[in-house]
């Protein structure tokens, strides 16, 4: 019996936090030019550092832009347009992001699709102008390139990243080309629906199904779907999740917490 692995990209295969944070700052400067008046390089560095800490809350890339602006509003009272920034901490963002996000989007008059479009456009421009530094701002986790290159299992990528970026990074950093029909990126629909599509394919009948993700919330959504009971679920403990989330995952019988070295071995 063969194995099929559906793999999340950011936080499972790739540490893209450096690139996504820098892209978010570039995009925030385009979207809200006056926001950065009086922001010196030390404050910008502080924002980039905090972005690593709050990264576990990000489900889709455009949220990085919202986080950049929110972090600046937390630090600079004079630019505040949201009711939530005063007294907010990074811990508060980690705990309450799902409640904060709709509030700030409404108060700033922003909408999802425009921010997604802008975030993608800024990344495309960076790639076109200087592919080397764009690639260099990302890294695949240790052992991942070889694990993908020598995988004996069927591999799918299931990500909220735009497919073209995942594809470029796999080619450049791992020397691996995954066929486009096996990369489900932003716009493919919710991950639970993608997993249903994958498991229904005639060529996958009889395969053992595995889904590796770094977001606990996504795994909990899979557990809610009886149709997906056949999937083995794994939380990658090297990805963008918090100690609190890993502790919660440990109490859920359906979820196996996996280490990076163990994950690389599984694929081979």
């Amino acid at each position: 019996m063969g194995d099929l692995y559906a793999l999340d990209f950011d936080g499972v295969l790739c540490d893209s936090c450096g690139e996504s944070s820098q892209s978010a700052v570039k995009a925030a400067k385009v979207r809200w030019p006056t926001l950065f008046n009086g922001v010196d390089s030390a404050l910008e560095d502080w924002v980039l550092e905090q972005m690593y800490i709050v990264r576990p809350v990000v489900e889709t890339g455009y949220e990085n832009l919202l986080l950049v602006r929110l972090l600046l509003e937390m630090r600079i009272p004079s630019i505040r347009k949201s009711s939530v920034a005063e007294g907010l901490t990074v811990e508060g963002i980690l705990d309450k992001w799902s409640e904060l996000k709709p509030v700030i989007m409404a108060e700033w008059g922003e909408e999802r699709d425009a921010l997604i479009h802008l975030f993608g456009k800024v990344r495309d421009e960076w790639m076109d102008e200087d592919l080397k530094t764009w690639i260099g701002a990302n890294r695949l986790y240790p052992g991942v390139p070889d694990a993908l290159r020598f995988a004996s299992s069927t591999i799918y990528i299931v990500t909220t990243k735009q497919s073209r970026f995942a594809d470029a990074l796999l080619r450049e950093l791992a020397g691996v080309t995954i066929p486009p029909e096996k990369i489900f990126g932003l716009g493919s629909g919710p991950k639970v629906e993608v997993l249903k599509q994958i498991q229904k394919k005639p060529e996958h009948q009889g395969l053992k199904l595995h889904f590796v993700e770094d977001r606990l919330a996504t795994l909990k959504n899979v557990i809610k779907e009886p149709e997906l009971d056949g999937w083995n679920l794994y939380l990658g403990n090297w990805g963008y999740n918090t100690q609190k989330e890993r502790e919660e995952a440990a109490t859920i019988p359906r979820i196996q917490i996996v280490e990076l070295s163990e994950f690389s071995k599984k694929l081979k």
Side-chain angles (χ1 to χ4, degrees):
M1 185 175 179
D3 292 274
L4 181 152
Y5 279 86
L7 306 174
D8 177 34
F9 189 80
D10 296 304
V12 169
L13 301 179
C14 183
D15 176 8
S16 55
C17 193
E19 181 273 321
S20 57
S21 303
Q22 290 175 59
S23 290
V25 167
K26 287 174 191 275
K29 288 176 177 176
V30 173
R31 188 77 194 92
W32 308 296
T34 57
L35 202 61
F36 284 82
N37 291 353
V39 171
D40 59 9
S41 62
L43 184 50
E44 201 169 302
D45 287 347
W46 176 84
V47 167
L48 291 170
E49 281 162 26
Q50 304 312 301
M51 292 293 284
Y52 267 93
I53 302 170
V54 297
R55 180 60 182 76
V57 303
V58 173
E59 184 177 12
T60 306
Y62 79 93
E63 293 171 72
N64 286 296
L65 263 98
L66 300 173
L67 287 164
V68 165
R69 178 165 175 180
L70 186 56
L71 287 163
L72 284 172
E73 286 202 5
M74 282 158 56
R75 284 294 293 268
I76 311 171
S78 63
I79 62 167
R80 274 181 204 154
K81 291 277 191 295
S82 70
S83 58
V84 298
E86 191 178 346
L88 186 63
T89 60
V90 274
E91 290 72 28
I93 293 176
L94 285 170
D95 286 343
K96 296 201 178 74
W97 181 240
S98 59
E99 297 156 40
L100 295 170
K101 191 175 77 166
V103 173
I104 58 179
M105 285 184 76
E107 290 178 342
W108 296 340
E110 292 300 335
E111 57 101 19
R112 185 177 184 268
D113 290 345
L115 293 176
I116 286 175
H117 176 74
L118 172 63
F119 197 50
K121 184 166 166 277
V122 165
R123 277 181 155 155
D124 281 331
E125 285 168 1
W126 185 0
M127 280 172 82
D128 290 345
E129 285 162 20
D130 190 353
L131 184 64
K132 202 168 156 218
T133 65
W134 183 80
I135 295 286
N138 293 275
R139 68 179 185 104
L140 295 186
Y141 291 105
V144 163
D146 279 352
L148 289 173
R149 247 177 258 143
F150 303 115
S152 54
S153 314
T154 302
I155 303 284
Y156 278 82
I157 307 294
V158 180
T159 176
T160 54
K161 200 184 199 73
Q162 289 167 320
S163 299
R164 64 185 185 275
F165 300 130
D167 178 51
L169 290 167
L170 289 169
R171 285 172 197 263
E172 296 284 337
L173 294 174
V176 169
T177 304
I178 291 189
E181 67 277 9
K182 289 191 169 167
I183 301 181
F184 287 85
L186 186 66
S188 306
K191 290 189 182 185
V192 289
E193 298 306 322
V194 171
L195 295 180
K196 286 176 192 174
Q197 276 182 57
I198 291 172
Q199 77 179 12
K200 280 183 186 144
K201 289 181 188 282
E203 66 269 30
H204 299 154
Q205 303 316 304
L207 292 182
K208 216 173 156 193
L209 304 172
H210 309 272
F211 177 43
V212 187
E213 176 54 81
D214 71 318
R215 285 191 83 245
L216 178 58
T218 306
L219 293 174
K220 284 161 82 171
N221 286 339
V222 173
I223 293 171
K224 285 180 201 153
E225 300 275 338
E227 208 181 313
L228 299 175
D229 282 350
W231 288 83
N232 295 288
L233 304 180
Y234 306 89
L235 181 77
N237 73 355
W238 63 92
Y240 307 127
N241 42 56
T242 63
Q243 183 62 37
K244 197 169 149 191
E245 287 166 332
R246 291 188 287 276
E247 285 165 8
E248 185 186 340
T251 68
I252 302 173
R254 183 87 188 275
I255 297 175
Q256 299 175 55
I257 297 177
V258 66
E259 305 265 343
L260 182 55
S261 55
E262 205 184 328
F263 165 68
S264 296
K265 282 193 200 104
K266 279 180 185 292
L267 290 190
K268 292 181 186 176

